[in-house]
């Protein structure tokens, strides 16, 4: 920029920058010296930051800086410190036999507190934050358990899951009797109404109960047991109670029988440490549905 | 204070002169008399309570703190002799603050700034520091002379100053130390402090309170009352025309003359004032004012001028209490030849007393009848209700039991709600069906998960109230609370 200090504004007596728009000239009012010095100092300071702290993105990583500081690393340290702080109590939990935890008020409180947070992080997306479940995802507060509701059974389901691909997982699924051509559509309607009758629900007018019973005996008893009482070994639900995982109306039952069901519960062993798994089993059991 | 000032000495804020007036050091003279004795007594009482109360023991049984007055922050407990308060009972402190505030109002309407003159910590500690100063450096005249002396410091003078400040610091340090003792079992921190094992926070608090005591009582003195404290403004506004204030009875004192002249004039049968302009009232005043200029902000109404004046009146053979607790109404009445009237019972004193009695009464009543067993219930929100496989309905509750007593209790939990309900506490195997029994350890809380199940045929409405009764099996004490039972 050329020096226009010779151009003096007649009104204020100050020099102008020489910029002019529509006859209006800009006064040369430089920044205060202290301000400019502070500005330069901040630039120098920022260079120091680039060197000392992680700053520049590279293609696959970033400059690490002289201090080697990393928020991830410091978080890991903080978390490790927290674990040490809680170590003693969690160790007591890990050491206690599963059956005794609920009898010890201190351990029960710890397991419930730990279980609640872990449940919120891992289980709530499917089972809901309070374990109330949803269609296809069991309510953990009630007393109906596909794979059994004792502490050990709950623990096993959490550890290995259902149809999770884990070597020890629960297997067994509801077959697709319609899709696979085992039952004809009218037979499916009949057996669906028979299943509704098992739990005391209303049935379609003119439905042939004897035929339904026969179809049920031939196709369903193997898993659901005599009278449809269910079998926790195979994850076959009790069809005589008031609780229905996918719904008890005729249309849903027809869908279930035609298409089959095979919901997946992931295995949590390996993702959560043994003490945490224990805490979760106790928490789920204490929700009230446990046997 | 109302002296005329030479215009040449005036400074204003818009020039380069100082923005403040330098403090004029006050050299109160020692004095003997009724009010001085009252002040000594109250000082001994207040400081005695403050310094020694933490050491008073109180037996609360094994495992409980044995300190009579203890603020136990880590465990959230406050102990005051036989009273033990939990955090949720802080409303007692609200009551205490209300009583304290109204007591101040009452004091004001009866006797003006009694608080300022006799009980305020600033007054008490400043008075103590003055006593030390007087003991080490001598009385008013000597101190003035020593401060004015332009001689180079003599060893004697230096040792005097060092001694004074050492004693001041010792008192200040003890003041800070005593404060810390209220938050811990007193003998423990004393031992820790001596062996430098106490927690850092203790040293920080002692340092803060030592510094404030030393500075406020040793150097700021009357300036705290005049410039820092909001009370003089508030108290002055609370004081009405019937309140007894330290008053110069100008009807009796004016016109001022010397003793000799007064005797001569009296002999001639003329009216002469009793005030002989001896300035004793000014000399003893800890805020350095002249009470004869009438009521003023700086006056803390400590009554020392009354003692000083009484001494002089006795000496010159005139009646005492030329300065005394009085009000302007009575001075006017005397001038008009009427008898003075003292009215302590007035609408405002009655109202203040009634408030103190009411709040105090409520506090005593609630303290006396407060339950040492308590129960809080929180209904599960997610899910609110669960239908079980047989069609029955279950609600879950988080129950918190509080045992405020000094012994373990066995309690039974009962619930009244839907017909034929069953109760179950997670982790408890009940001996008696539907009556879970648990142990709550002394001075602690227990949190339980309680399940209430109503059979399907009971067919409860959308929501029905449930009453929870927690009964102490041994004593029969019952705590009750209400929540709702909800159907899905």
């Amino acid at each position: 920029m050329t020096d226009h200090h010779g151009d003096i504004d007649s009104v204020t007596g100050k020099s102008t920058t020489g910029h002019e728009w529509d006859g209006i000239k800009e006064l040369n009012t430089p920044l205060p010296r202290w301000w400019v010095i502070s500005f330069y100092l901040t630039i120098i300071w920022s260079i120091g930051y680039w060197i000392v702290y992680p700053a520049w993105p590279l293609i696959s990583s970033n400059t690490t800086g002289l201090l080697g500081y990393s928020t991830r690393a410091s978080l890991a340290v903080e978390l490790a410190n927290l674990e040490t702080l809680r170590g003693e109590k969690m160790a007591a939990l890990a050491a206690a036999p599963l059956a005794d935890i609920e009898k010890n008020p201190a351990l029960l409180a710890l397991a419930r507190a730990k279980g609640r947070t872990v449940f919120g992080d891992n289980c709530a997306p499917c089972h809901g934050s309070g374990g109330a479940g949803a269609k296809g995802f069991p309510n953990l507060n009630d007393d109906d358990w596909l794979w059994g509701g004792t502490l050990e059974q709950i623990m096993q389901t959490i550890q290995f899951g259902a149809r999770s691909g884990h070597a020890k997982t629960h297997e067994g699924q509801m077959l697709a009797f319609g899709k696979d051509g085992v039952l004809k559509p009218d037979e499916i309607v009949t057996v669906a109404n028979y299943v509704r009758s098992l739990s005391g629900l209303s049935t379609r007018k003119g439905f042939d109960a004897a035929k339904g019973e026969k179809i049920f005996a031939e196709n369903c008893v193997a898993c659901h047991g005599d009278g449809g009482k269910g079998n926790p070994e195979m994850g076959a639900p009790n069809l005589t109670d008031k609780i229905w995982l996918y719904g008890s109306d005729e249309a849903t039952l027809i869908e279930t029988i035609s298409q089959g069901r095979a919901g997946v519960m992931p295995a949590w062993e390996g993702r959560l440490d043994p003490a945490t798994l224990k805490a979760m089993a106790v928490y789920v059991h204490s929700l009230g549905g446990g046997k | 204070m109302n002296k005329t000032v030479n215009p040449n000495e005036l400074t204003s804020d818009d020039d380069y002169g100082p923005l403040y007036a330098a403090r004029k050091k006050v050299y109160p003279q020692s004095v003997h008399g009724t009010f001085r004795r009252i002040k000594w007594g109250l000082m001994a009482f207040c400081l005695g309570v403050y310094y020694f109360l933490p050491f008073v023991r109180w037996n609360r049984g094994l495992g409980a703190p044995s300190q009579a007055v203890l603020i136990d922050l880590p465990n959230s407990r406050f102990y005051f002799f036989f009273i033990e308060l939990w955090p949720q009972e802080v409303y007692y402190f609200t009551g205490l603050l209300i009583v304290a505030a109204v007591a101040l109002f009452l004091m004001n309407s009866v006797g003006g700034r009694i608080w300022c003159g006799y009980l305020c910590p600033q007054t008490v500690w400043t008075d103590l520091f003055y006593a030390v100063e007087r003991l080490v450096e001598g009385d008013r005249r000597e101190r003035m002379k020593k401060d004015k002396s332009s001689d180079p410091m003599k060893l004697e003078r230096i040792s005097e100053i060092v001694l004074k400040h050492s004693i001041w610091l010792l008192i200040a340090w003890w003041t800070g130390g005593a404060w810390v003792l209220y938050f811990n079992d007193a003998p423990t921190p004393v031992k820790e402090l001596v062996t430098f094992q106490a927690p850092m926070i203790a040293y920080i608090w002692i340092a803060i309170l030592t510094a404030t005591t030393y500075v406020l009582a040793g150097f700021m003195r009357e300036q705290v009352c005049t410039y820092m404290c909001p009370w003089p403004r508030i108290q002055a506004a609370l004081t009405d025309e019937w309140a007894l204030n330290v008053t110069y009875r100008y009807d009796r004192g004016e016109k001022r003359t010397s003793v000799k002249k007064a005797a001569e004039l009296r002999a001639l049968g003329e009216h002469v004032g009793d005030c002989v302009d001896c300035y004793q009232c000014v000399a003893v005043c800890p805020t350095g004012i002249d009470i004869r200029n009438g009521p003023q902000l700086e006056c803390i109404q400590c009554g020392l001028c009354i003692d000083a004046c009484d001494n002089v009146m006795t000496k010159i053979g005139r009646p005492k209490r030329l300065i005394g607790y009085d009000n302007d109404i009575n001075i006017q009445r005397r001038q008009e030849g009427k008898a003075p009237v003292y009215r302590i019972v007035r609408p405002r004193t009655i109202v203040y007393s009634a408030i103190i009695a009411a709040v105090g009464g409520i506090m005593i009543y609630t303290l006396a009848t407060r339950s040492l067993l308590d129960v809080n219930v929180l209904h599960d929100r997610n899910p609110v209700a669960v239908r079980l496989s047989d069609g029955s309905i279950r609600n879950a509750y988080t129950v918190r039991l509080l045992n405020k007593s000094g012994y373990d209790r066995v309690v039974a939990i009962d619930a009244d709600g839907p017909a034929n309900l069953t109760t179950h506490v997670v982790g408890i195997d009940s001996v008696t069906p539907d009556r879970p029994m648990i142990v709550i350890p002394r001075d602690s809380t227990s949190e339980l998960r309680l399940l209430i199940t109503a059979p399907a045929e009971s067919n409860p409405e959308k929501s029905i109230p449930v009453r929870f009764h927690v009964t102490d099996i041994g004593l029969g004490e019952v705590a009750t609370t209400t929540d709702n039972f909800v159907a899905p």
Side-chain angles (χ1 to χ4, degrees):
Chain A
M1 211 205 291
T2 47
D3 185 23
H4 291 276
H5 286 213
D7 186 11
I8 303 293
D9 175 56
S10 59
V11 180
T12 59
K14 285 183 175 177
S15 62
T16 72
T17 59
H19 303 161
E20 186 178 336
W21 293 272
D22 298 338
I24 300 168
K25 285 180 181 175
E26 184 186 32
L27 288 178
N28 181 26
T29 319
L31 290 162
R33 183 189 297 249
W34 66 264
W35 196 97
V36 178
I37 292 173
S38 317
F39 177 58
Y40 290 140
L41 284 177
T42 58
I43 292 173
I44 294 166
W45 181 257
S46 73
I47 294 169
Y49 246 81
W50 287 346
I51 297 165
V52 172
Y53 284 104
W56 293 101
L58 306 174
I59 289 167
S60 60
S61 64
N62 57 284
T63 57
T64 51
L66 288 180
L67 289 182
Y69 174 81
S70 147
T71 45
R72 276 167 200 270
S74 67
L75 175 69
V77 169
E78 299 260 322
L79 286 177
N81 288 342
L82 201 62
E83 285 303 312
T84 333
L85 208 67
R86 293 175 178 165
E88 212 171 290
K89 287 181 175 177
M90 286 305 283
L93 189 65
L98 200 53
D100 293 349
I101 294 174
E102 286 191 354
K103 294 195 178 86
N104 179 331
L107 281 181
L108 177 61
L110 173 68
R112 275 186 54 78
K114 177 78 180 173
R116 186 183 294 128
T117 52
V118 178
F119 189 91
D121 289 345
N122 298 284
C123 318
C126 294
H127 290 286
S129 60
K135 186 183 175 185
F137 302 102
N139 183 345
L140 305 176
N141 291 275
D142 65 27
D143 62 342
D144 192 32
W145 295 88
L146 289 173
W147 306 99
T150 65
L151 253 177
E152 283 75 20
Q153 285 168 327
I154 291 172
M155 180 75 181
Q156 196 195 357
T157 306
I158 294 171
Q159 261 182 303
F160 308 124
R163 307 169 198 101
S164 65
H166 190 283
K168 294 183 187 168
T169 190
H170 290 309
E171 291 295 356
Q173 56 179 295
M174 174 73 190
L175 301 173
F177 290 91
K179 207 166 75 177
D180 297 346
V182 180
L183 292 176
K184 288 192 214 57
D186 64 309
E187 289 174 323
I188 292 173
V189 173
T190 307
V191 82
N193 277 283
Y194 176 72
V195 167
R196 276 176 64 81
S197 75
L198 286 179
S199 63
L201 295 166
S202 64
T203 50
R204 196 185 273 212
K205 214 180 250 177
F207 132 82
D208 185 348
K211 190 181 163 200
E213 191 178 355
K214 187 164 167 283
I215 301 168
F216 190 86
E218 284 165 6
N219 298 281
C220 314
V221 165
C223 293
H224 290 285
D226 279 334
K229 291 283 185 199
N231 181 4
E233 291 292 310
M234 323 202 50
N238 182 349
L239 302 176
T240 64
D241 65 17
K242 309 275 185 229
I243 292 164
W244 297 86
L245 185 55
Y246 293 93
S248 61
D249 56 299
E250 193 193 52
T252 308
L253 281 173
I254 290 170
E255 185 193 319
T256 303
I257 298 165
S258 309
Q259 308 292 326
R261 300 283 185 192
V264 172
M265 158 86 177
W268 293 95
E269 193 177 63
R271 297 195 224 187
L272 302 172
D273 64 85
T276 306
L277 285 173
K278 243 180 190 175
M280 202 130 84
V282 171
Y283 172 70
V284 170
H285 189 252
S286 75
L287 283 176
K291 285 175 177 162
Chain B
M1 288 289 125
N2 297 334
K3 256 183 252 165
T4 35
V5 180
N6 179 355
N8 295 332
E9 290 171 11
L10 284 174
T11 56
S12 62
D13 287 351
D14 58 357
D15 60 22
Y16 295 99
L19 292 171
Y20 55 89
R23 178 192 176 216
K24 285 203 182 94
K25 197 169 174 187
V26 182
Y27 297 89
Q29 195 175 334
S30 64
V31 63
H32 302 281
T34 317
F35 293 96
R36 182 64 265 184
R37 274 198 297 278
I38 294 172
K39 269 176 80 75
W40 284 134
L42 285 173
M43 184 205 279
F45 175 75
C46 293
L47 293 181
V49 168
Y50 177 75
Y51 287 132
F52 297 107
L53 192 55
F55 295 99
V56 177
R57 303 285 99 186
W58 193 265
N59 185 15
R60 293 191 181 85
L62 207 65
S66 60
Q67 186 159 325
V69 178
L70 177 67
I71 301 154
D72 189 356
L73 289 181
N75 299 313
S76 311
R77 298 282 186 274
F78 174 72
Y79 299 94
F80 187 84
F81 294 94
F82 59 95
I83 302 167
E84 177 189 332
L85 295 184
W86 285 38
Q88 58 267 49
E89 294 167 320
V90 283
Y91 49 76
Y92 284 113
F93 292 96
T94 313
L96 215 57
L97 286 174
I98 294 170
V99 169
V102 182
L104 266 183
F105 298 170
L106 181 63
M107 274 190 219
N108 250 285
S109 52
V110 172
R113 287 165 59 179
I114 293 178
W115 170 259
C116 293
Y118 300 94
L119 296 166
C120 172
Q122 175 64 21
T123 294
V124 170
W125 264 282
T126 303
D127 212 18
L128 180 66
F129 273 44
Y130 269 133
V132 171
E133 194 170 73
R134 216 171 276 137
L135 198 74
V136 176
E137 295 185 346
D139 213 343
R140 176 178 159 90
R141 273 166 210 287
E142 284 173 76
R143 296 207 303 276
M144 287 171 98
K145 210 160 72 187
K146 281 171 182 167
D147 275 0
K148 238 181 221 157
S149 158
S150 52
D151 288 349
M153 288 271 204
K154 286 191 193 112
L155 190 66
E156 198 184 342
R157 177 71 183 135
I158 292 170
S159 61
E160 248 180 30
I161 290 171
V162 169
L163 179 65
K164 178 178 86 176
H165 286 276
S166 305
I167 300 174
W168 278 2
L169 277 168
L170 217 65
I171 296 170
W173 172 81
W174 194 13
T175 307
W179 174 261
V180 172
L181 301 184
Y182 283 91
F183 296 85
N184 207 328
D185 176 53
T188 314
V190 166
K191 197 176 145 202
E192 286 174 346
L193 286 168
V194 172
T195 53
F196 297 101
Q197 309 256 301
M200 190 42 90
I201 190 77
Y203 291 107
I204 291 172
W205 270 109
I206 292 175
I208 290 171
L209 287 159
T210 306
T212 49
T213 310
Y214 180 61
V215 171
L216 293 181
F219 301 93
M220 308 281 297
R221 296 175 165 180
E222 81 286 350
Q223 298 195 96
V224 174
C225 314
T226 328
Y227 300 114
M228 289 168 66
C229 182
W231 262 119
R233 281 82 183 165
I234 299 166
Q235 298 214 4
L238 288 168
T239 307
D240 68 352
E241 71 275 20
W242 288 104
L244 294 174
N245 285 312
V246 174
T247 309
Y248 167 63
R249 288 169 171 143
Y250 56 87
D251 58 312
R252 219 190 98 188
E254 303 295 318
K255 244 173 124 176
R256 308 169 195 173
T257 34
S258 70
V259 186
K260 224 181 200 174
K261 216 165 183 192
E264 285 168 13
L265 288 169
R266 270 198 200 94
L268 293 171
E270 278 187 51
H271 172 79
V272 199
D274 278 345
C275 178
V276 293
D277 240 349
C278 65
Y279 281 95
Q280 280 305 293
C281 53
V282 180
V284 300
C285 180
T287 63
I289 57 162
D290 189 341
I291 190 66
R292 295 171 301 170
N293 291 335
Q296 48 208 292
L297 176 79
E298 290 87 347
C299 178
I300 58 167
Q301 304 195 1
C302 59
L304 293 181
C305 50
I306 304 179
D307 285 342
C309 191
D310 279 357
N311 292 342
V312 174
M313 289 298 118
T314 316
K315 252 178 231 163
I316 63 170
R318 302 295 302 168
K320 283 184 178 185
R321 296 292 144 87
L322 174 57
I323 302 172
Y325 274 93
D326 207 345
N327 56 36
D328 258 3
I329 291 178
N330 282 333
I331 293 175
Q332 307 279 359
R333 288 180 66 92
R334 273 198 297 271
Q335 278 182 329
E336 290 161 18
K338 296 179 197 162
V341 178
Y342 297 97
R343 229 179 250 170
I344 287 172
V345 181
R346 306 194 298 279
R348 73 163 68 197
T349 55
I350 294 168
V351 170
Y352 292 151
S353 308
I355 293 173
I356 292 172
V359 176
I362 291 168
M363 281 173 67
I364 291 168
Y365 175 77
T366 53
L367 254 179
T369 57
R370 86 189 180 123
S371 167
L372 295 177
L373 182 69
D374 210 350
V375 55
N376 296 317
V377 166
L378 190 68
H379 193 290
D380 260 20
R381 294 188 200 94
N382 181 19
V384 180
V386 179
R387 192 174 285 282
L388 300 183
S389 53
D390 63 355
S392 56
I393 298 160
R394 185 160 66 201
N395 281 202
Y397 305 84
T398 301
V399 177
R400 185 171 276 278
L401 301 171
L402 292 82
N403 178 10
K404 297 179 193 168
S405 58
Y407 42 86
D408 298 357
R409 289 169 182 261
V410 181
V411 297
I413 304 171
D414 304 287
D416 297 339
N420 302 320
L421 59 79
T422 53
T423 43
H424 173 68
V425 171
V426 173
I428 305 288
D429 295 323
S430 293
V431 181
T432 331
D434 292 334
R435 203 166 189 230
M437 287 199 196
I438 68 142
V439 179
I440 333 174
R442 56 177 294 279
D443 195 31
S444 69
T445 65
S446 295
E447 200 182 88
L448 311 168
R449 189 172 164 77
L450 180 77
L451 309 169
I452 293 187
T453 311
E457 60 273 17
S458 75
N459 197 19
E461 298 156 43
K462 200 71 196 157
S463 173
I464 43 177
V466 188
R467 284 189 78 74
F468 296 89
H469 306 277
V470 175
T471 314
D472 184 308
I473 294 299
L475 300 171
E477 194 177 346
V478 182
T480 307
T481 190
T482 313
D483 208 299
N484 288 304
F485 186 90
V486 183

